[in-house]
Amino acid sequence: MFDRVDLRLTTTRRRCTLLVSLAASLPLAASSALGAPTTLLDDFRSYQRVPAGAEAVGWAAGEAILGGERELTVTAGSTHIVWDGPDATAELDASGLGGVDLRGGLTLEVDRPGPAIVRIQAWSDEARASVLTLPLADDQRALSFDLADATPHVGAGVDLAAVGALIVTIDRPLRPLALRLDRPAPTPATFQRGPTPISINVLALDGDVAPGAGGGTIITLNPPFTDGFGRAGFVGAVDAGGSTVNFVWFDDQVVWRNTDAIGMTLTGGESVMGIADDGSFNYSPSTDGDDSVWTDSGLLAVENTPAPDQPAPTASTFHSRPQMDDDGTAYWVAGLNPSGGTSTEARAFYEADDGLTANITTVFQSGDMIDGFTLSSGSSGVDFDYDMSSDGDHRIHALDMATGSTADDLFIYVDGSLVAQESTPNGSGDNWDNFDQMSINAFGDHLWSGDTDGPTATDEYIAYNGTIVVREGDVIDGVTLASTASVRAVSINDRSEAIHAWNVSGGVEHIFFASDASDLPGSSTRILSTGDSVDVDGDSIGDATVTDLNTFGPSIEFSIDGRVLLEVDLDFGGGGGDQEAVIALAVPRGDVLVINEVNYDDGASDTLEFVEIFNAGTNTIDLDPYTLEAVDGAGSAYSTIDLPAVMLAPGDFYVVCGDAAAVFNCDLDTPPATDWLQDAGPAAVALALGGGVVDTVSYEGDAAAPYTEDVGAAGDDGSVANAGLSRLGDGIDSNQNDRDFGLRCGSPGAANLDTDSGCAPIPVELTRFTVD
């Protein structure tokens, strides 16, 4: 008999959802604390454990709150569970958990009602233990108990703040479901052995069935690349009935397999690829045994055929290192033979608008003059190390120039100019020696790494815009970049934040996040290292250990949405060995407050005007010090609103409007009710703090500095009802108004929509009601 019915109806422009919740009576012990805040100590349905007597080799500290070993024995007459940490024998290790705080009171859940007698033993060490025996009633599925009431069993009794082992015995064969800590233990509370695990999102895992791949199991993964919204693209392979089939992945599934090609046989695929905002891709498999480049539109170029955009009889000799910008322009490096042969005698850097063969053009090639130097012929010239900005407007390359000496022939090329040369002074007391990893953003800011000709203990470096900002011997967030350290990867996003990965002494690898790419030493925080415990399911419990950061060259992506994407090896324990995984983890951005949506022109009445603020950071932000400004084209404020003392959590929205009766989810109603924001541009709205502009959106032109980020956003003439300017992804901020904002249906106080047609007025929400 149901004693409560909860109904919740939610309608929005994009969906209508009816959620029906039927709550039946579930008899529990009067002392059960399942309704109170709990901490999951052990979920018997999910977590692997080392079996009794097995060696817990490589088990990560923090793998579970009650340790890496659970010994569970269910017989015809009883159930016996021991948590005592990873040990090599089945004997009790009374200190194996290392000291877990169980002062909060425990609740044990079982698979079916009693009756039963439950006996709990807690140990601090071999000299101190306590025991508590409680009945599980016939209609109970959960039993709560407070170990503070336990009787001393050995010595003076257990220290509940530092429990080393826990034993539960049930006089019936009841399958346990979960063990919970009913409420936080008194301060200090230690629920986890070892360091707190790092939360990650696993996008794809070796051994899993790949969605969209026809049931194939993933056997190979490669580093991810991202589009302008932070969605991942990468190549990999599945086992399809005993045969290996390579694939291209976009967002959350496989979108292309080599077997999808018609009339040609595709095999393999380089690890480097490109992905665009519309899902277009560019990768490099072999086509009928010949090196090639493919896009979502089909074969783009293949070796041993006439070279694109070259005079006859020039032939292609290879195609490699594909990339793609957000708009779908494909880029790659190719080999050339001017006489039509098969050996590489020159190189070219190609681009193809929309990834189409008909649009292939040569950007530069061997023999071209650049800044007074000739691009080398032979098999070098255009180096494989290069990077494009997200919008394709900026590029950085390593180029070999014909100087007559290998000691000084390698250069860094940025946007048409040679900006650094081997064997020339670098401004830090020694000379450039070689160039390795590189990255560039939409503003032309760039990073590159390499060696100098100085002492080997300090020669490895990273340069920002041509100035060395960090090198071997420096200390970054407590990590010393020892004399054998080497840079594995660098990445700079359009917010001029950076990621840099290092291999330090002993083969330990670290990834650092820098909030300011120009100050890597001062703004860097270590975010992931080999040996770290990671949480993959969001319960704050370590599920695996990172054993390798597969980062090199363009193999790490720093998305504009504040996530780092990379390929790693994970060890989930249990003797299964390492598994390749493509993962994403959020960087600790701190306070990042942005204007997320603006409706400034809604036709004749202009009653639906609003500004939506979004917390894109990782800290809860007090809005009290901030002001919201509306300014004209000259930068003069015609409306300034002091925001109230509201604590805005990460991922939350705050809506300021002119008429709360008309604007759904309005948090702050400010006069006037109509025509609050200026319709005709240029004009802007801005968030300000302490006299400085934190974020600004200029529309219908460029408002005076500092109220325009790069180029103003396109306008809204009010002809599309219930539409306004929205970020093309909540919080996605490249500091370029024209790229970040577009005309979309309005959604105040909710996630931004991806359509600009059929915009409904306001969402309607029917709140909960109860039927007894």
Side-chain angles (χ1 to χ4, degrees):
M1 179 67 182
F2 295 107
D3 61 3
R4 187 177 76 251
V5 178
D6 293 331
L7 300 177
R8 183 180 179 87
L9 175 65
T10 302
T11 63
T12 70
R13 301 170 186 79
R14 303 178 71 182
R15 64 180 183 272
C16 176
T17 304
L18 175 65
L19 173 64
V20 180
S21 174
L22 303 175
S25 298
L26 178 64
L28 297 175
S31 60
S32 174
L34 288 178
T38 64
T39 297
L40 185 63
L41 296 177
D42 194 349
D43 183 344
F44 291 78
R45 297 159 292 191
S46 301
Y47 304 125
Q48 300 177 358
R49 290 291 182 272
V50 178
E55 180 73 31
V57 177
W59 198 274
E63 181 69 20
I65 291 177
L66 290 182
E69 181 183 50
R70 176 221 295 143
E71 301 164 11
L72 171 63
T73 305
V74 180
T75 66
S78 67
T79 303
H80 187 70
I81 317 142
V82 178
W83 296 270
D84 65 346
D87 54 17
T89 70
E91 297 177 359
L92 176 66
D93 180 356
S95 59
L97 298 182
V100 177
D101 196 331
L102 298 182
R103 289 175 289 174
L106 302 178
T107 294
L108 176 71
E109 301 171 53
V110 295
D111 63 341
R112 60 183 184 273
I117 299 297
V118 180
R119 186 172 186 262
I120 304 100
Q121 297 179 67
W123 298 71
S124 293
D125 51 41
E126 285 75 5
R128 291 187 296 171
S130 297
V131 62
L132 182 65
T133 302
L134 293 174
L136 186 69
D138 185 61
D139 58 352
Q140 281 184 272
R141 288 183 180 170
L143 178 66
S144 293
F145 44 90
D146 191 340
L147 288 171
D149 298 330
T151 301
H153 177 58
V154 176
V158 72
D159 178 2
L160 293 179
V163 173
L166 188 69
I167 302 173
V168 174
T169 304
I170 309 171
D171 70 349
R172 288 190 59 203
L174 298 180
R175 285 283 178 182
L177 297 179
L179 185 68
R180 301 177 185 274
L181 189 66
D182 291 343
R183 54 193 178 275
T187 303
T190 304
F191 302 132
Q192 184 104 14
R193 298 173 65 249
T196 301
I198 296 169
S199 178
I200 65 171
N201 181 24
V202 176
L203 307 182
L205 182 66
D206 174 22
D208 284 357
V209 174
T217 301
I218 297 173
I219 56 176
T220 302
L221 289 169
N222 285 297
F225 299 83
T226 60
D227 67 1
F229 300 101
R231 295 173 298 189
F234 51 88
V235 294
V238 295
D239 181 353
S243 62
T244 298
V245 176
N246 284 67
F247 64 76
V248 174
W249 179 294
F250 174 60
D251 194 14
D252 58 1
Q253 64 181 336
V254 171
V255 296
W256 170 263
R257 297 169 295 178
N258 281 352
T259 51
D260 293 334
I262 298 175
M264 289 173 277
T265 300
L266 305 188
T267 55
E270 288 187 17
S271 61
V272 179
M273 59 89 68
I275 199 77
D277 289 352
D278 63 358
S280 302
F281 60 82
N282 183 23
Y283 84 120
S284 182
S286 292
T287 300
D288 294 333
D290 291 325
D291 200 20
S292 67
V293 176
W294 272 72
T295 73
D296 53 291
S297 297
L299 179 63
L300 188 58
V302 62
E303 68 173 331
N304 298 322
T305 63
D309 195 37
Q310 296 290 325
T314 305
S316 295
T317 59
F318 70 81
H319 295 278
S320 186
R321 304 308 195 273
Q323 291 195 34
M324 183 170 275
D325 64 28
D326 291 347
D327 295 329
T329 298
Y331 306 89
W332 72 102
V333 178
L336 306 175
N337 186 296
S339 60
T342 58
S343 62
T344 299
E345 297 182 2
R347 285 188 182 185
F349 183 71
Y350 281 124
E351 69 177 21
D353 291 346
D354 298 322
L356 298 175
T357 300
N359 297 337
I360 295 176
T361 58
T362 305
V363 178
F364 45 69
Q365 66 184 75
S366 297
D368 285 354
M369 292 292 295
I370 301 175
D371 263 7
F373 291 89
T374 302
L375 191 56
S376 295
S377 298
S379 59
S380 56
V382 182
D383 201 89
F384 287 138
D385 291 322
Y386 77 94
D387 189 48
M388 314 297 302
S389 63
S390 57
D391 57 8
D393 290 344
H394 300 276
R395 62 171 63 99
I396 182 171
H397 294 257
L399 298 179
D400 285 297
M401 312 302 290
T403 63
S405 171
T406 57
D408 63 359
D409 62 346
L410 189 60
F411 288 72
I412 288 288
Y413 165 101
V414 177
D415 293 343
S417 299
L418 301 175
V419 300
Q421 179 186 6
E422 285 182 305
S423 298
T424 63
N426 55 37
S428 296
D430 45 12
N431 299 316
W432 304 114
D433 189 35
N434 63 54
F435 309 113
D436 295 321
Q437 325 303 338
M438 54 197 64
S439 179
I440 194 167
N441 69 12
F443 297 96
D445 294 326
H446 51 273
L447 298 171
W448 80 71
S449 71
D451 287 323
T452 72
D453 65 357
T456 57
T458 59
D459 63 343
E460 188 86 359
Y461 69 86
I462 298 176
Y464 169 78
N465 289 351
T467 299
I468 293 177
V469 290
V470 65
R471 61 196 304 164
E472 279 180 282
D474 290 345
V475 178
I476 306 291
D477 194 24
V479 176
T480 299
L481 306 178
S483 60
T484 57
S486 60
V487 179
R488 296 291 300 273
V490 294
S491 182
I492 183 171
N493 69 9
D494 291 346
R495 294 173 57 90
S496 288
E497 300 166 323
I499 292 294
H500 49 118
W502 292 76
N503 188 337
V504 299
S505 58
V508 178
E509 300 168 81
H510 300 285
I511 296 178
F512 300 93
F513 160 66
S515 58
D516 180 359
S518 67
D519 182 20
L520 294 189
S523 70
S524 288
T525 302
R526 187 189 67 84
I527 58 172
L528 189 67
S529 303
T530 50
D532 280 344
S533 175
V534 290
D535 168 25
V536 304
D537 53 15
D539 62 0
S540 299
I541 296 175
D543 302 299
T545 303
V546 178
T547 58
D548 193 10
L549 304 176
N550 299 319
T551 54
F552 56 91
S555 63
I556 188 169
E557 280 285 292
F558 188 17
S559 172
I560 194 65
D561 64 0
R563 296 185 308 156
V564 177
L565 291 89
L566 72 156
E567 181 209 350
V568 300
D569 289 341
L570 299 177
D571 182 3
F572 287 86
D578 293 350
Q579 293 176 259
E580 287 182 287
V582 174
I583 69 168
L585 69 156
V587 300
R589 265 187 164 164
D591 293 354
V592 182
L593 208 60
V594 299
I595 294 171
N596 204 51
E597 189 175 354
V598 182
N599 187 343
Y600 65 90
D601 188 354
D602 206 57
S605 63
D606 270 347
T607 58
L608 298 180
E609 295 182 344
F610 68 87
V611 176
E612 178 187 80
I613 300 167
F614 180 72
N615 184 349
T618 52
N619 293 340
T620 296
I621 300 174
D622 185 357
L623 299 182
D624 183 47
Y626 293 84
T627 59
L628 180 64
E629 299 179 355
V631 302
D632 59 23
S636 297
Y638 60 85
S639 177
T640 299
I641 300 163
D642 290 323
L643 297 180
V646 171
M647 303 303 292
L648 194 66
D652 277 359
F653 307 88
Y654 188 82
V655 178
V656 180
C657 73
D659 185 358
V663 176
F664 182 71
N665 277 341
C666 180
D667 297 295
L668 180 62
D669 193 342
T670 182
T674 61
D675 203 23
W676 165 42
L677 298 175
Q678 180 177 317
D679 291 349
V685 290
L687 277 169
L689 176 66
V693 173
V694 173
D695 189 47
T696 184
V697 181
S698 178
Y699 54 85
E700 296 192 21
D702 299 345
Y707 294 103
T708 299
E709 292 181 352
D710 196 34
V711 177
D716 173 15
D717 61 7
S719 61
V720 180
N722 308 299
L725 297 180
S726 296
R727 288 192 184 274
L728 307 182
D730 293 315
I732 302 296
D733 183 14
S734 69
N735 293 321
Q736 301 172 91
N737 292 160
D738 61 329
R739 284 180 57 81
D740 292 337
F741 286 86
L743 186 66
R744 296 290 187 270
C745 295
S747 57
N752 287 353
L753 303 179
D754 58 4
T755 181
D756 59 0
S757 62
C759 304
I762 57 174
V764 177
E765 183 175 39
L766 178 64
T767 57
R768 177 173 294 178
F769 65 91
T770 301
V771 178
D772 293 317

